[in-house]
Amino acid sequence: MVTIETFGEDIDITTPKRMMKYVLIWCSSGNAIVVVDDKELKLEPHAVITITSGQVHYFKNAHNAKGYILEFTLDYFCKDDNDIELVFQNGLFCHFAMNEVITIENFKFLEEQLRKIEDELKQKPYQYLISVHSRIELVLIEINRSKIKQGNEIWKPDALFLKFLELVRANFEEQYSISKYAQLLETTESKLNEQSKLFTGKTAQNVVYGLIVSEAKRLLTYEKLIVKEVAFNLGFSDPFYFSNFFKRYVGMSPKAYQTQYAIVN
């Protein structure tokens, strides 16, 4: 549901991991290289990285870095549409590989909130999960304020669009049509296309294709699966069609991509 630990407490910090939780990595001192999917990010003091549910991440090196790793599930944090929009506002925990290092101006306040979250989760006083939820809200607001002060454009997607992205991510193997997603979300295809074009400049179907390609890259890089298994995991009944689909968007076949980028554990 929600956990927090220091870098030193995470015994698997250098092992690629993938979980259906939202991850916030805060560096208080030292520096580290954090890999998120296929991107290397240099984490320095008073900076944070946010990682969305389903992304693969690990520390490539730490250089005596100290800090916190906060993890929480969507079900725990997102009680209403306002929570959903806060999680994804300004590209935080974004589904589109927009991970970045964000330097926090008011870093003492942010670290204080993380320490209090740590204390609440250890001591478990009355209504501690409500308190932790509120403190995570404060942490996300502070990160957003820092991004805005650094000149970043304000990006506030609608909760419906974010629910659509989450539903796609949770149902890759089903290969639902846009009409099916609209039905599940109790909306219309037209509305999903309108939202997708507003926030990405793409149709809803092309948004789905982009998410499938990102997931295929993760499976080819980090999982010990043959191309046929990757295709089936993503809802393709024909591996040849999957290979053509992947090559069209990536510029190389899935086998070639796997040969070049796969990490063998």
Side-chain angles (χ1 to χ4, degrees):
M1 189 183 302
V2 56
T3 61
I4 192 169
E5 57 187 358
T6 64
F7 292 174
E9 291 172 329
D10 187 343
I11 60 174
D12 297 321
I13 199 168
T14 60
T15 302
K17 62 184 71 174
R18 167 189 172 93
M19 58 191 72
M20 295 303 111
K21 294 181 180 179
Y22 294 87
V23 182
L24 185 151
I25 301 177
W26 163 254
C27 182
S28 55
S29 63
N31 59 79
I33 301 296
V34 179
V35 179
V36 183
D37 287 340
D38 56 355
K39 182 187 298 184
E40 289 190 4
L41 300 167
K42 185 177 182 181
L43 187 59
E44 297 182 326
H46 310 151
V48 66
I49 295 171
T50 56
I51 301 167
T52 199
S53 176
Q55 287 191 295
V56 176
H57 65 280
Y58 64 97
F59 280 63
K60 191 171 183 179
N61 53 58
H63 294 303
N64 298 316
K66 294 182 179 180
Y68 285 107
I69 302 171
L70 172 67
E71 301 172 355
F72 57 91
T73 62
L74 188 71
D75 288 344
Y76 163 69
F77 185 77
C78 295
K79 308 302 183 186
D80 55 33
D81 287 356
N82 289 329
D83 288 340
I84 293 173
E85 290 171 0
L86 179 59
V87 165
F88 297 101
Q89 190 172 139
N90 295 328
L92 299 186
F93 305 103
C94 186
H95 295 75
F96 303 122
M98 293 169 62
N99 310 87
E100 61 180 321
V101 177
I102 307 163
T103 301
I104 305 302
E105 183 172 303
N106 192 4
F107 62 87
K108 290 183 179 179
F109 173 81
L110 191 143
E111 184 149 18
E112 178 186 12
Q113 296 308 314
L114 292 173
R115 285 179 181 150
K116 287 181 177 179
I117 289 172
E118 181 182 35
D119 290 341
E120 293 273 334
L121 291 176
K122 284 182 178 178
Q123 298 172 19
K124 298 183 179 180
Y126 178 63
Q127 294 186 327
Y128 72 98
L129 288 176
I130 297 174
S131 173
V132 167
H133 184 281
S134 297
R135 294 189 188 283
I136 293 176
E137 285 185 313
L138 292 174
V139 167
L140 299 185
I141 290 169
E142 194 58 46
I143 294 172
N144 276 321
R145 287 176 175 174
S146 291
K147 289 196 71 174
I148 297 306
K149 286 180 180 178
Q150 292 164 19
N152 285 265
E153 182 179 352
I154 297 176
W155 188 69
K156 187 179 179 182
D158 188 272
L160 173 62
F161 179 64
L162 299 169
K163 291 175 183 177
F164 169 56
L165 298 179
E166 281 294 307
L167 199 56
V168 173
R169 186 200 55 74
N171 292 282
F172 284 126
E173 72 283 357
E174 302 295 341
Q175 286 239 350
Y176 287 145
S177 64
I178 300 303
S179 61
K180 178 65 174 179
Y181 283 120
Q183 178 186 347
L184 292 170
L185 292 167
E186 299 182 340
T187 187
T188 64
E189 289 184 65
S190 177
K191 185 66 175 179
L192 288 182
N193 275 307
E194 175 188 306
Q195 292 275 298
S196 296
K197 288 178 181 178
L198 176 63
F199 296 118
T200 71
K202 302 176 181 178
T203 65
Q205 188 62 70
N206 280 328
V207 167
V208 172
Y209 289 157
L211 294 175
I212 291 173
V213 169
S214 294
E215 180 69 6
K217 286 180 177 180
R218 293 185 194 109
L219 295 177
L220 292 166
T221 301
Y222 295 103
E223 302 291 338
K224 295 179 180 179
L225 301 173
I226 61 175
V227 172
K228 182 178 180 180
E229 291 172 318
V230 173
F232 290 159
N233 282 351
L234 294 173
F236 291 86
S237 58
D238 183 348
F240 180 73
Y241 178 75
F242 166 69
S243 293
N244 286 337
F245 168 85
F246 187 89
K247 189 173 183 178
R248 183 164 69 250
Y249 285 93
V250 181
M252 66 174 73
S253 70
K255 183 61 179 177
Y257 185 91
Q258 188 175 51
T259 299
Q260 183 170 341
Y261 295 107
I263 294 178
V264 179
N265 297 318

